[in-house]
Amino acid sequence: MPEPDLTTEEFRRLGHAYVDWVADHRAGLPGLPVVPPVGPGEVATALSQPGAAFPDGRLPEAPQPLDTLLDAVDRVVVPGSTLWQHPAFFGYFPANSSLTSLLGDLLSGALGAQGMLWSTSPAATEAEQVLLDGFARALGLGEAFTFSGGGGGVIQDSASSAALVALLAALHRVRPGWRETGVDGRERVYVTAETHSSLAKAVRVAGLGARALRVVDPVPGTQAMSAAALAGAMAADVAAGLAPVLVCATVGTTGTGAVDPVRDIAPVAAAHGAWLHVDAAWAGVAGLCPELRHVIDGVGLADSFCTDAHKWLFTAFDASLLWVRDAAALPAALSVTPEYLRNAASESGAVVDYRDWQVPLGRRFRALKLWAVVHALGLEGLRAHLRGHVAAAVALAGRVRAEPGVVLAAPPTLGLVCLRYVGADGGPDDAVTRAVLERVNSSGAAFVTHTVLDGRYVIRVAVGGVATEATHVEALWERLCAEAGTVRATSTLPRP
Ligand SMILES: *Cc1c(COP(=O)(O)O)cnc(C)c1O
């Protein structure tokens, strides 16, 4: 019978082999296609073949050496993977998984602690508290968001979860008795057409229903929420007997990087007693750089603020940083205490029990991977890399402005550049824009994604990968130009 786990010596040997695999994989990324040319079902078929890992879809009966798992990963998994850590990955937003953060995550897995209560692993809780207080200061959120200032931060698995728990805290504040009676269908949540879909999901999960979502008009000609339109919508709802619960302002929308005017929105939300949540999942970390901090202007007026360390802050998924101004708000909404979780430390009131700050009970020691990143780079290093990405995006936007036949579809924000191709009349040419995107992506040399703005197709270029340098952005630009040339040469449309 095999032992239930590796011996220490086996782990030492295999651990080195696995780390070597990681190092070789990352070093080899530039030579691989960013997106694999695989179709639906191909990976599953390869895994289920006779002689493969799961012949006929069955799990192995016999133990096998772990070295051979790497062979299967090489043969089937890597060729079937979208390579998010590739330096030419410009899709969606970056999901950085720096080698630095992997080492921190290894320590977290090694401790294997459950940090649900302070008493189940004091260090898991207090390291997270100290780290989040430090980041609150480094981002310029204000002392109100630190534990010493009466607020506090928590690492959620994702910005989606952060939005959900902010909504639950808001419900609790606005609808006392909600914990007992649930919602009554009159609750309203204010967003824009560009707000992340996680808010639409959160209102459903919270039982408010899609009707709770009120889509506020933008400032004309932009994608940013109009504070005046918000005031109008909230006043009309209140007059109709509805209950404003939460306003979600976005700093850096997923589509185009638009920034809602938090400073103007805050007093409107406050006038109606609604909770103000700022979703800065991608862009918020820019607050580390004083010259970029204007994007989170007014955040000190919010009730909660979220930014993902797992996007642009080089920390492996999952690490979404959420701060609230009132440390009691999340426990008030979420705490449920069965007998088996009772303990003296919790009852003393002197500790934070993070299970009350999230939906699940169990939680990983996520702070270690973020700690590793800030330990290795320092705030100085983090700022330098953010600045490098922004500079590369600014250079790309300059290229777009100078090139005939292609235009910026929206003002660039930080590392995000949105562009589209135009016809001879200067109007958007969706067919060319779409064809260029498809050709770039199927080349394997780079990967970009799209959005639709005012009904027209847009290519998004999100610069922010931990391995992405100015030269990769320059190479992407050359590729875009080459593909646009080919598309136009082979199309019957008039050239600009
Ligand atoms: C990416 C993103 C989200 C969702 O992030 P997860 O952490 O993956 O849930 C939410 N809001 C905005 C603005 C985003 O860019």
Side-chain angles (χ1 to χ4, degrees):
M1 189 173 70
E3 294 298 319
D5 200 0
L6 301 174
T7 65
T8 322
E9 282 317 309
E10 284 167 342
F11 177 75
R12 204 182 295 284
R13 184 187 68 76
L14 279 163
H16 284 117
Y18 272 59
V19 167
D20 281 344
W21 185 92
V22 173
D24 291 343
H25 169 71
R26 289 294 176 93
L29 282 178
L32 297 175
V34 189
V35 176
V38 299
E42 277 182 39
V43 173
T45 303
L47 289 173
S48 319
Q49 272 165 3
F54 309 106
D56 297 324
R58 291 181 199 284
L59 304 183
E61 279 294 337
Q64 302 164 68
L66 266 173
D67 310 73
T68 60
L69 181 58
L70 291 179
D71 302 338
V73 170
D74 279 331
R75 256 184 294 110
V76 185
V77 176
V78 174
S81 292
T82 301
L83 301 173
W84 284 69
Q85 308 309 315
H86 195 294
F89 184 98
F90 299 102
Y92 309 103
F93 280 133
N96 278 308
S97 188
S98 68
L99 294 172
T100 312
S101 72
L102 292 192
L103 292 181
D105 221 3
L106 184 63
L107 299 181
S108 164
L111 288 168
Q114 281 291 343
M116 52 208 183
L117 299 170
W118 176 88
S119 61
T120 59
S121 190
T125 297
E126 293 190 12
E128 186 164 326
Q129 289 184 268
V130 172
L131 207 54
L132 271 91
D133 273 6
F135 269 103
R137 294 186 184 110
L139 290 163
L141 302 187
E143 282 299 305
F145 286 99
T146 64
F147 284 97
S148 39
V154 56
I155 308 183
Q156 301 277 329
D157 58 357
S158 68
S160 306
S161 297
L164 175 61
V165 297
L167 175 57
L168 299 176
L171 265 177
H172 190 69
R173 193 174 79 182
V174 174
R175 308 294 256 173
W178 155 82
R179 280 175 65 143
E180 284 68 42
T181 60
V183 297
D184 68 9
R186 292 185 298 130
E187 298 79 9
R188 289 297 177 268
V189 169
Y190 301 83
V191 297
T192 71
E194 296 293 316
T195 301
H196 193 266
S197 55
S198 52
L199 265 292
K201 204 184 255 185
V203 298
R204 285 195 233 162
V205 175
L208 271 55
R211 70 177 163 181
L213 220 51
R214 181 71 91 220
V215 179
V216 178
D217 287 339
V219 175
T222 77
Q223 280 78 49
M225 183 186 283
S226 156
L230 174 67
M234 292 183 95
D237 284 350
V238 170
L242 301 172
V245 170
L246 177 136
V247 177
C248 178
T250 307
V251 168
T253 59
T254 317
T256 63
V259 176
D260 293 339
V262 176
R263 191 172 288 285
D264 301 337
I265 288 168
V268 179
H272 294 288
W275 181 284
L276 176 58
H277 177 64
V278 175
D279 176 4
W282 159 67
V285 299
L288 292 177
C289 303
E291 78 280 15
L292 303 176
R293 192 169 287 168
H294 60 85
V295 296
I296 57 168
D297 177 50
V299 68
L301 305 168
D303 292 291
S304 53
F305 172 81
C306 167
T307 189
D308 283 345
H310 62 238
K311 278 186 175 162
W312 199 13
L313 207 65
F314 311 130
T315 306
F317 192 84
D318 50 354
S320 181
L321 316 183
L322 171 69
W323 285 269
V324 287
R325 163 193 294 291
D326 173 6
L330 290 168
L334 298 172
S335 182
V336 180
T337 305
E339 184 53 35
Y340 52 82
L341 293 178
R342 290 196 188 282
N343 68 88
S346 298
E347 256 133 64
S348 76
V351 300
V352 165
D353 290 327
Y354 270 133
R355 66 170 182 128
D356 295 334
W357 292 56
Q358 62 178 22
V359 173
L361 171 62
R363 64 196 322 268
R364 309 173 58 231
F365 194 164
R366 296 194 189 94
L368 276 170
K369 58 189 172 186
L370 179 60
W371 183 356
V373 168
V374 71
H375 179 92
L377 288 172
L379 290 173
E380 247 173 47
L382 288 171
R383 288 188 199 107
H385 291 292
L386 297 177
R387 285 173 180 144
H389 291 146
V390 172
V394 167
L396 176 64
R399 295 290 207 162
V400 175
R401 283 194 188 94
E403 180 80 9
V406 60
V407 297
L408 293 172
T413 305
L414 304 169
L416 181 65
V417 179
C418 294
L419 56 94
R420 61 161 58 113
Y421 289 85
V422 292
D425 62 354
D429 189 332
D430 286 357
V432 171
T433 307
R434 194 185 290 262
V436 170
L437 174 136
E438 281 165 7
R439 290 184 63 90
V440 167
N441 289 351
S442 62
S443 77
F447 179 67
V448 291
T449 53
H450 80 281
T451 190
V452 169
L453 194 56
D454 303 325
R456 310 309 294 258
Y457 206 79
V458 171
I459 295 176
R460 299 168 69 264
V461 179
V463 181
V466 65
T468 302
E469 295 176 3
T471 51
H472 301 109
V473 181
E474 188 60 23
L476 170 69
W477 171 245
E478 276 156 27
R479 166 78 49 180
L480 284 164
C481 291
E483 301 297 3
T486 307
V487 168
R488 287 203 160 110
T490 53
S491 94
T492 54
L493 299 166
R495 304 183 60 172

